[in-house]
Amino acid sequence: MGVVTTNSIRGGVILALSLLFPDMDVYGEKIPEGFETPCLFVKLLTAAQDKEMNRRYKRSYPFDIHFFPHGHDYNREGHEMAERLYDALRIVDINGDLYKGTGMNHEIVDDVLHFFVDFNFHVLSQKEDEPVMQTLEQKGVIK
């Protein structure tokens, strides 16, 4: 497993969605004024890291993916996109490593789909260099 950063996970999710929906704009920063629908906006919510044992930590990356539908049947289009996202985000390939999407749920608020997915995994911190023993004298006596 390679080095995992917040931006690699975020960028990987944006790239995965861009590849899955090549005819749709996927935004990761701001949505520009006058944007065209349909489009997706990927928002990373509050990321977290919790210490577990020794050098082991658990990282959590919760996302809220907004889908802005094109037509006037916002609910139907939103729920159809949610079905596609449930399948598409089960496992995401990010820089050659596979990450499992968990805790998926969705809702439609003000004609915009909000699809929530978490990517949780463990990381190890680097081992600190310990001083190496220089010499050891040992004496043995036989009785």
Side-chain angles (χ1 to χ4, degrees):
M1 181 180 269
V3 176
V4 180
T5 65
T6 301
N7 284 328
S8 68
I9 295 294
R10 190 176 146 279
V13 171
I14 292 169
L15 178 62
L17 292 172
S18 296
L19 294 173
L20 287 166
F21 306 106
D23 298 334
M24 196 179 308
D25 288 328
V26 179
Y27 300 104
E29 294 296 327
K30 287 184 172 180
I31 300 175
E33 259 187 66
F35 65 92
E36 291 186 25
T37 59
C39 69
L40 293 163
F41 173 66
V42 178
K43 180 178 182 180
L44 175 61
L45 301 174
T46 305
Q49 176 173 290
D50 294 318
K51 184 167 176 60
E52 290 196 337
M53 243 181 165
N54 297 327
R55 301 181 305 131
R56 186 177 166 119
Y57 293 85
K58 183 174 183 181
R59 287 205 180 157
S60 302
Y61 293 97
F63 286 90
D64 179 1
I65 298 169
H66 302 63
F67 170 65
F68 298 89
H70 180 65
H72 297 295
D73 195 356
Y74 299 110
N75 282 329
R76 183 184 60 74
E77 286 184 54
H79 291 299
E80 285 175 0
M81 176 56 79
E83 291 298 327
R84 294 175 72 187
L85 291 172
Y86 279 116
D87 187 50
L89 296 175
R90 268 184 303 157
I91 296 178
V92 176
D93 183 333
I94 299 173
N95 297 332
D97 295 320
L98 300 178
Y99 294 88
K100 187 185 293 187
T102 61
M104 291 186 250
N105 63 82
H106 76 277
E107 65 180 346
I108 296 176
V109 177
D110 296 330
D111 301 327
V112 176
L113 168 70
H114 292 265
F115 186 88
F116 301 95
V117 60
D118 298 337
F119 290 94
N120 304 315
F121 51 90
H122 291 95
V123 294
L124 288 176
S125 66
Q126 289 209 333
K127 193 173 186 178
E128 293 180 20
D129 291 332
E130 296 179 8
V132 180
M133 189 171 16
Q134 296 296 320
T135 59
L136 172 67
E137 286 186 33
Q138 182 177 359
K139 292 184 182 179
V141 178
I142 300 178
K143 292 186 181 182

